[in-house]
Amino acid sequence: MNNKQLFLKKIKDYKDLIIYKDCYFKDFNTFHVNNLIETLIIVKSVNTLKKILFDLNQYELEYVIIGNGSKILFKDMYVKKIVIVINNNFENISLDSDYIYASSGTNLAKIISFGHLYNLGGMEKLIGIPASLGGAIYKNAGAYDLAISDFIISVDFIDEFNNFQTIDNRDCAFSYRYSIFQKKKKWTIVGAKLKLSPIDINESKQIIKETILNRTNKQPHNHHNCGSIFKNPIGYKSADLIDKCNLKGLKINDAMISNEHANFIVNLNNAKPADIIKLIEEIEKNVYEKFKIKLELELEIIT
């Protein structure tokens, strides 16, 4: 047996997990790109996650951890790395004094809704971001001049030595679409403490309604996508730069630059990673030639 076979044999009787072999990836990423994943594991508890991470390192296996798959693209159609999914199967929310604690698989909308039960809010403008909490922290996801880091008190994670650790907001190195977890790839987020503020529920619901309407009017919603492809350069909006290059509607097979929002690439039906990557390269080339600005990806391409 090779190491991967030994690993799978060892974990097959673990509780709180689901193992898929040769699993189609379409329903695990917001792009709906249908990669074939050799081994995909859905984890449902912290203890099982800790055991699996230990085993992966013991057997020296390559792996990647994802949440709701909203900012990732596997470069290859067939993925040999083990893919660990922490999504709504890994979800728990509780109130501790004035703080909310949520597991990393919890959807942001669920946190907002939970806060309403206790007249707490502030995160309303993050509604519509499809990330799990773990993914949102990893990318420091945000919208409308807000970011998840504005609400984080501390983050719990499993470190590279398989120990539980807690890190305060100030040590997460949060900045625009960045956190320390992008540098520390072996740190796995398991949950976070958030501070929300007292709110008027009716006002909060109105902000949510307006935010959803604004997203619907300005962003593509009829085709699958990953959200913004590029970060905004200082002083510019990537969408404006791309639009001024007259790239809206440009297609490569089933991948297309959105007509609604130029910083979105949509999957018309069966887009392949190579199609999306070629569009990304075309955008980068055109924007640089016209404005001498190098765009930086917000999407993470996993090789």
Side-chain angles (χ1 to χ4, degrees):
M1 285 188 180
N2 60 34
N3 279 8
K4 185 175 287 187
Q5 291 170 328
L6 290 170
F7 165 76
L8 291 171
K9 182 179 180 181
K10 181 174 182 181
I11 71 168
K12 68 181 178 65
D13 294 324
Y14 285 1
K15 295 179 181 179
D16 298 325
L17 60 74
I18 305 171
I19 303 170
Y20 293 103
K21 292 289 292 175
D22 290 327
C23 173
Y24 286 104
F25 195 55
K26 184 176 182 179
D27 294 330
F28 293 96
N29 71 105
T30 61
F31 249 140
H32 271 220
V33 173
N34 205 20
N35 311 78
L36 184 63
I37 311 296
E38 186 178 68
T39 307
L40 183 144
I41 301 172
I42 296 175
V43 182
K44 299 182 180 182
S45 73
V46 174
N47 288 334
T48 297
L49 175 62
K50 191 171 187 290
K51 287 163 67 177
I52 284 177
L53 290 172
F54 177 82
D55 295 334
L56 284 165
N57 290 318
Q58 284 290 105
Y59 288 106
E60 299 181 332
L61 295 172
E62 287 190 290
Y63 64 93
V64 61
I65 296 177
I66 67 168
N68 286 345
S70 60
K71 284 291 179 185
I72 62 162
L73 177 69
F74 284 105
K75 184 177 180 180
D76 298 321
M77 280 301 294
Y78 186 62
V79 179
K80 292 188 176 181
K81 287 182 178 179
I82 293 172
V83 177
I84 309 294
V85 177
I86 300 176
N87 57 15
N88 58 5
N89 290 285
F90 195 98
E91 179 180 274
N92 184 50
I93 316 176
S94 59
L95 185 72
D96 181 11
S97 187
D98 292 331
Y99 301 107
I100 287 175
Y101 188 87
S103 301
S104 58
T106 310
N107 187 283
L108 297 190
K110 293 248 180 109
I111 298 173
I112 294 169
S113 179
F114 182 83
H116 279 185
L117 298 176
Y118 302 94
N119 296 315
L120 297 173
M123 287 176 56
E124 290 82 4
K125 289 186 178 180
L126 301 187
I127 198 78
I129 294 177
S132 64
L133 178 60
I137 292 169
Y138 177 85
K139 278 288 184 182
N140 193 18
Y144 307 111
D145 299 320
L146 277 183
I148 192 66
S149 56
D150 296 324
F151 307 96
I152 296 297
I153 299 299
S154 61
V155 179
D156 293 338
F157 66 97
I158 300 170
D159 68 14
E160 65 269 44
F161 305 110
N162 210 237
N163 296 316
F164 286 115
Q165 301 281 1
T166 300
I167 189 171
D168 290 335
N169 180 303
R170 65 181 179 272
D171 296 319
C172 288
F174 286 124
S175 61
Y176 174 59
R177 303 298 177 266
Y178 179 80
S179 76
I180 194 172
F181 298 97
Q182 293 178 35
K183 179 181 178 182
K184 300 286 189 178
K185 296 289 188 181
K186 293 288 188 179
W187 289 8
T188 303
I189 299 167
V190 297
K193 183 188 288 187
L194 301 96
K195 176 66 173 176
L196 274 63
S197 305
I199 52 157
D200 180 282
I201 291 295
N202 290 328
E203 287 182 12
S204 177
K205 288 181 178 178
Q206 183 61 31
I207 293 170
I208 289 172
K209 183 178 178 180
E210 291 171 358
T211 302
I212 292 172
L213 182 62
N214 192 47
R215 284 183 177 276
T216 302
N217 289 337
K218 294 183 178 180
Q219 297 177 2
H221 55 277
N222 293 325
H223 294 104
H224 296 290
N225 61 81
C226 76
S228 297
I229 294 289
F230 295 100
K231 299 178 183 179
N232 289 325
I234 296 173
Y236 299 91
K237 289 187 179 296
S238 291
D240 293 341
L241 297 173
I242 299 165
D243 195 8
K244 288 174 183 176
C245 292
N246 298 313
L247 293 175
K248 279 184 175 179
L250 179 65
K251 287 172 55 179
I252 295 179
N253 297 320
D254 271 355
M256 184 180 81
I257 298 172
S258 169
N259 283 308
E260 288 90 357
H261 194 300
N263 198 19
F264 281 60
I265 291 175
V266 297
N267 182 356
L268 297 177
N269 184 33
N270 192 30
K272 304 292 192 296
D275 303 330
I276 296 167
I277 290 169
K278 285 177 185 176
L279 271 186
I280 287 170
E281 291 170 347
E282 193 67 22
I283 291 169
E284 290 172 332
K285 178 173 73 72
N286 277 265
V287 169
Y288 186 75
E289 287 177 354
K290 190 174 182 68
F291 300 104
K292 296 297 182 283
I293 294 173
K294 289 185 178 180
L295 293 179
E296 184 180 353
L297 280 173
E298 185 171 329
L299 171 71
E300 184 166 341
I301 298 174
I302 303 171
T303 58

